[in-house]
Amino acid sequence: PKMAGDFAVQVGAVFVLCIYGGVVQAATPNIIIMLMDDMGWGDLGILGQPEKETPNLDRMAAEGMLLTDFYTANPLCSPSRAALLTGRLPIRNGFYTTNDHARNGYTPQEIVGGIADSEVLVSELLAQAGYRNKIIGKWHLGHQPQYHPLRHGFHEWFGAPNCHFGPYDNKATPNIPVYNGSDMVGRYYEDFPIDRASGESNLTQLYVREALEFIDRQAASAQPFFLYWAPDATHGPLYASRGFLSTSRRGLYGDAVRELDDGVGKILARLKNNDQHTNTLVFFTSDNGAAMVSRTEGGSNGPFLCGKQTTFEGGMREPAIAWWPSRIQPGQTSHQLSTVMDLFTTALELAGAAPPSDRVYDGISLLPTLLNGTEVDRPVFYYRGNELMAVRYGLYKAHFWTWTNGQDERSRAEVCGVQAGHAEAGGAGGQSQGSAGAGRAAVQHVRLRSHELGASGL
């Protein structure tokens, strides 16, 4: 496996006392990140989905903290995952494109190959700090073995290097492989069936079982663990197991959401059964917004404009829940501007580990927010490819570059309020000259801070 190189790691010993807001933490905490695929901000009952088909996630929010202003780093699967695991914007970690104002925002693995060896992932740093790490589900940071997760700090893997696209003819294009550790154990549509006609597949059940078994083993070992649970049932082509098919009023997409919600409930229950719940931070979110191209077979971005592939709020603002009984007080809602890259920084602080000091990071620790309810001012940058599309600061967002479905581009800067989200649809959202002026002043403040922040493209 790749070594991280020269960096300082401060290992948090099992009985080191870490005090946050008067609460004493007596053991190195476990960390679970649940990353959904193409799930929208509006897909959860707690965020207004009228069918209320996510009882476990809604309960998770009631028992923890709902973060309403949480963002991905890119409106596409692969670069957003690279940002989460490296703590760095895609423009820094190499998962971006450079053509025609980011019209091709995708980063096909055939172009970039995979995550660079020079990047140090949170899994590598947690392994150095004594954690046992497992990824379940979609990796998407490189197809070839030299890019796989076991070479980047993960000790265990059950899943695939890409999404469950297919089926292919297995001649000119083979079906995508599924791995258990370093061993390929089959392929989608062959050894791991997905019925494209009915949508039936048992994959989510396999991913839930793998998570439960890992939690059981780690509870018995008393070794801290990092579980990266990344199922992809809500990414087209959709699937759900037989017990969940045709159970949702939202169609197959709703079936998939209901099964994932059920899996979340089982994972949290297993933590409680193993008496690990008070020593485990669980964070639930999505890699990008719901895919509008999927129409009735996709998710909901609630009140926000557009979705996946775009840097409007619907493509970048994600559902987010933090759960840690006895540490995070129940029933909280936070409006802290936060991003997937903050999970990198937060995990390292929990582990008592420090990242390499030779590069710029884009995340902040969320522990003051999660444990004390603290909120701080900070900007959020919206990139697609190498293009800085927009910036949010406070309640205002400036669009520097947008595009339509035609050839007429809009490149003038527009400022809109984003508290209601849908104001984006009308540029300045019908706001007064005074509020728009305040927004431009906020964006100017971000520009002035760009050197301090090390932000690219400003």
Side-chain angles (χ1 to χ4, degrees), residues 65-360:
M65 176 180 284
L66 180 69
L67 294 93
T68 59
D69 295 67
F70 187 86
Y71 289 87
T72 186
N74 189 280
L76 297 158
C77 303
S78 182
S80 68
R81 292 162 192 265
L84 187 159
L85 292 173
T86 63
R88 289 152 54 80
L89 286 163
I91 194 71
R92 302 193 204 280
N93 65 37
F95 268 63
Y96 67 93
T97 50
T98 59
N99 60 315
D100 192 19
H101 283 293
R103 272 202 174 275
N104 176 13
Y106 286 97
T107 53
Q109 311 306 325
E110 291 79 6
I111 295 175
V112 298
I115 192 70
D117 279 352
S118 59
E119 292 297 322
V120 181
L121 277 58
V122 65
S123 46
E124 298 174 60
L125 296 168
L126 292 177
Q128 291 285 333
Y131 278 68
R132 180 79 178 177
N133 305 327
K134 179 161 187 167
I135 171 175
I136 298 172
K138 178 176 170 180
W139 170 238
H140 217 202
L141 299 190
H143 298 171
Q144 300 303 316
Q146 64 266 33
Y147 300 116
H148 284 180
L150 268 59
R151 294 184 60 87
H152 292 275
F154 286 97
H155 304 96
E156 302 180 33
W157 178 29
F158 182 81
N162 201 346
C163 198
H164 55 280
F165 297 119
Y168 300 113
D169 61 14
N170 219 19
K171 295 177 182 177
T173 304
N175 282 313
I176 293 167
V178 176
Y179 286 83
N180 188 0
S182 58
D183 298 325
M184 193 184 87
V185 292
R187 295 182 183 274
Y188 286 139
Y189 299 97
E190 299 172 27
D191 310 277
F192 297 89
I194 302 173
D195 188 323
R196 289 294 300 270
S198 68
E200 181 178 351
S201 175
N202 207 39
L203 280 169
T204 297
Q205 292 301 310
L206 295 179
Y207 294 152
V208 172
R209 185 187 70 189
E210 287 286 326
L212 300 181
E213 291 177 353
F214 179 69
I215 291 169
D216 287 343
R217 289 197 304 273
Q218 291 310 116
S221 75
Q223 180 185 16
F225 67 83
F226 168 46
L227 173 59
Y228 178 38
W229 195 61
D232 65 353
T234 44
H235 189 298
L238 305 169
Y239 63 79
S241 65
R242 182 171 301 177
F244 289 89
L245 285 177
S246 301
T247 63
S248 171
R249 291 172 58 87
R250 303 179 67 196
L252 182 54
Y253 182 87
D255 296 340
V257 171
R258 292 191 70 247
E259 185 167 17
L260 291 168
D261 176 79
D262 181 74
V264 169
K266 289 177 178 176
I267 290 171
L268 299 186
R270 186 60 57 93
L271 289 171
K272 293 178 180 178
N273 293 342
N274 282 307
D275 199 26
Q276 295 289 304
H277 59 298
T278 59
N279 195 43
T280 304
L281 170 63
V282 183
F283 200 99
F284 174 95
T285 189
S286 179
D287 62 349
N288 47 249
M292 297 294 94
V293 69
S294 298
R295 300 179 184 272
T296 58
E297 294 186 353
S300 167
N301 295 311
F304 301 122
L305 181 65
C306 290
K308 179 180 179 178
Q309 302 185 34
T310 79
T311 50
F312 293 108
E313 292 296 285
M316 298 281 286
R317 201 190 296 204
E318 309 307 326
I321 302 171
W323 184 87
W324 191 359
S326 82
R327 301 292 190 266
I328 297 175
Q329 295 304 305
Q332 295 190 80
T333 298
S334 174
H335 300 287
Q336 170 66 54
L337 293 190
S338 42
T339 78
V340 292
M341 295 168 290
D342 298 339
L343 301 181
F344 174 96
T345 309
T346 303
L348 294 188
E349 183 172 349
L350 285 174
S357 59
D358 62 348
R359 62 200 69 192
V360 174

Side-chain angles (χ1 to χ4, degrees), residues 441-453:
V443 172
Q444 179 63 17
H445 174 68
V446 172
R447 286 183 176 275
L448 291 173
R449 292 185 61 197
S450 63
H451 177 70
E452 168 197 341
L453 294 165

Side-chain angles (χ1 to χ4, degrees), residues 22 25 34 52 54 73 78 80 108 112 130 259 262 264 340 372-373 376 382 394 422:
Q25 173 191 314
M34 299 174 166
K52 304 292 185 184
T54 55
S78 182
S80 68
V112 298
E259 185 167 17
D262 181 74
V264 169
V340 292
N372 297 328
V376 298
Y382 301 66
H422 59 269

Side-chain angles (χ1 to χ4, degrees), residues 45-68:
I46 191 69
L47 289 171
Q49 211 295 316
E51 301 301 338
K52 304 292 185 184
E53 294 181 341
T54 55
N56 294 291
L57 285 164
D58 298 348
R59 186 180 306 112
M60 180 183 179
E63 294 175 354
M65 176 180 284
L66 180 69
L67 294 93
T68 59

